[in-house]
Amino acid sequence: MSTLDRRDFLRHSLAAGAGAAALGRLPDLSVPRNAGRGANPIIITSHTNETGQEAMRQAWEILASGGMALDAVEKGANIVEVDPNDHSVGYGGLPNAAGVVQLDASCMDGKTYSAGSVACIENIKTPSSVARAVMEHTDHVMLVGKGALAFAVSMGFKEENILTPEAREIWIRWRENLSPNDAYGPPVYLRNRSGGGGSDRRPVESHHGTVNVLAVDSNGDVAGITTTSGLSWKVPGRVGDSPIIGAGLYVDNSVGAAGATGRGEDVMKSLASYFIVGRMRDGRTPQQACEDAIEMIVQRYKAVNIDYVPGEKFVALNKDGEVGCAYMGGGGGPPALTMHTPGGQTQYKGTSLYPVRR
Ligand code: GLY
């Protein structure tokens, strides 16, 4: 059979419904689980602080008035992104090792099976909206670095300095405490002199926060965003899990959505969000699916280093309005999420499976 013949054969086979047989034991992914019926809207975020709560309040107004899940998650993500006091996301995020803030974000719309993302984008406060623009205004899924910035500017996004004085100050302190043997810091004769003086010599730890926002609207459509400034002090050019579809975020309109925060390197290798959504498709609750992802990652590392426990947090929701949250190793903040439903706003407490990071 020629290539063309073979392609035609496959196309016709799928059209005739023989696709399921060709795909073996896969469920029919074309049929939404609650097709044809409305849903109770719900929106959740991995952030439990005041900004996260305010984000859910404002995003909820969109859902409550019959708006789209996609608009709601963007609204919620933007509120966190422009908060200068949040050092893990958007404006005010901590920079890379060179003192430059490079942001990663992804957006996925279950209704249209579309996704967009940006990585290492600089000088834009709301990378999640750029990710949405990539999704809606290009035939691509991911843009990076200078190309992502140029695209954002072409779409009307404002290019501006997003390194706040506070974030710069933390970065300067990190640089001065990297090594006692380099030239950063006060003159050597002023360091550690008796009687005090010199710079603050407390080590500055790295930080990898992120925000996930996931929603189901009254039409039963699902959308999600994950956005972050990534691991602080990262090697310039490093990309984490947040803009990788399937890693930091995954949405399936027939099942629900999942998102990850914490050490992206662990999440990227496991495609944890895709894994969680797959587990939910198989009938696991969002809570069970998040815990399954943690067990899966821990087991894989066990074979290599029995003492290593990664630091991650997963959140998920399904189309029935159930939510889940699980965390390990002290990564990604408390094992909880903020949710808003027709019943109001609450905090959902998840599980901490491997709380101690060794
Ligand atoms: N989860 C965010 C990052 O590792 O970049």
Side-chain angles (χ1 to χ4, degrees), residues 2 36 80 92 131 135 144 152 183-184 192 199 203 222 228 257-258 271 306 348:
S2 73
V80 179
M135 178 176 85
V144 305
Y184 288 111
N192 307 320
S199 63
V222 190
T228 188
L271 288 179
I306 191 91
Y348 171 87

Side-chain angles (χ1 to χ4, degrees), residues 21 29 34 83 124 153 179 183 186 200 212 223 260 263-264 272-273 277 346 351:
L29 301 176
N34 63 353
D83 175 8
I124 300 286
V153 170
S179 163
D200 185 346
N212 316 118
R263 205 182 92 92
S273 294
V277 172
T346 48
T351 51

Side-chain angles (χ1 to χ4, degrees), residues 2 29 34 101 124 157 159 161 172 188 200 212-213 253 257 293 309 319 343:
S2 73
L29 301 176
N34 63 353
V101 184
I124 300 286
F157 286 85
E159 189 175 353
N161 177 28
I172 289 171
V188 283
D200 185 346
N212 316 118
V213 186
N253 221 41
V309 176
K319 292 191 63 150

Side-chain angles (χ1 to χ4, degrees), residues 295-308 354 358:
E295 288 297 344
M296 178 262 291
I297 293 173
V298 167
Q299 293 312 324
R300 286 193 171 152
Y301 277 117
K302 255 190 189 163
V304 181
N305 178 351
I306 191 91
D307 292 325
Y308 180 67
Y354 295 88
R358 288 167 292 185

Side-chain angles (χ1 to χ4, degrees), residues 27 29 31 33-34 42 44 214-216 222-223 246 249-260 271-293 314-326 337 348:
L29 301 176
V31 182
R33 207 171 64 193
N34 63 353
I42 177 172
I44 69 171
L214 312 173
V216 181
V222 190
L249 173 71
Y250 198 71
V251 173
D252 183 327
N253 221 41
S254 63
V255 178
L271 288 179
S273 294
Y274 186 74
F275 176 87
I276 291 167
V277 172
R279 297 295 281 174
M280 292 194 292
R281 176 177 281 286
D282 290 344
R284 302 284 280 170
T285 65
Q287 184 59 42
Q288 290 168 336
C290 288
E291 292 176 7
D292 290 347
F314 301 120
V315 297
L317 93 179
N318 66 17
K319 292 191 63 150
D320 297 327
E322 296 173 307
V323 302
C325 174
L337 58 81
Y348 171 87

Side-chain angles (χ1 to χ4, degrees), residues 50-178:
E50 271 182 29
T51 310
Q53 293 168 28
E54 180 58 25
M56 290 303 91
R57 262 190 293 278
Q58 292 195 33
W60 173 254
E61 285 172 19
I62 294 175
L63 293 181
S65 58
M68 285 170 26
L70 183 60
D71 291 333
V73 294
E74 183 183 15
K75 178 77 181 176
N78 285 170
I79 288 168
V80 179
E81 287 173 324
V82 300
D83 175 8
N85 298 317
D86 192 320
H87 294 311
S88 64
V89 179
Y91 178 59
L94 293 175
N96 64 20
V100 177
V101 184
Q102 293 188 321
L103 306 176
D104 296 339
S106 61
C107 172
M108 195 161 179
D109 179 25
K111 183 181 180 182
T112 56
Y113 186 49
S114 304
S117 74
V118 290
C120 287
I121 190 169
E122 299 173 10
N123 298 343
I124 300 286
K125 279 183 176 171
T126 53
S128 66
S129 292
V130 185
R132 180 174 177 177
V134 171
M135 178 176 85
E136 293 182 330
H137 295 278
T138 78
D139 188 35
H140 306 312
V141 169
M142 188 174 198
L143 296 179
V144 305
K146 286 188 169 58
L149 175 60
F151 171 74
V153 170
S154 79
M155 292 299 297
F157 286 85
K158 188 170 158 206
E159 189 175 353
E160 55 195 318
N161 177 28
I162 58 172
L163 179 64
T164 59
E166 192 189 346
R168 183 193 294 280
E169 195 271 326
I170 298 170
W171 170 73
I172 289 171
R173 201 151 56 76
W174 168 78
R175 188 173 64 175
E176 292 191 355
N177 287 287
L178 267 184

Side-chain angles (χ1 to χ4, degrees), residues 104 208-210 228-231 238-242 260-265:
D104 296 339
H208 42 66
T210 298
T228 188
S229 52
L231 183 64
R238 176 263 190 188
V239 174
D241 60 314
S242 302
T261 68
R263 205 182 92 92
E265 280 70 10

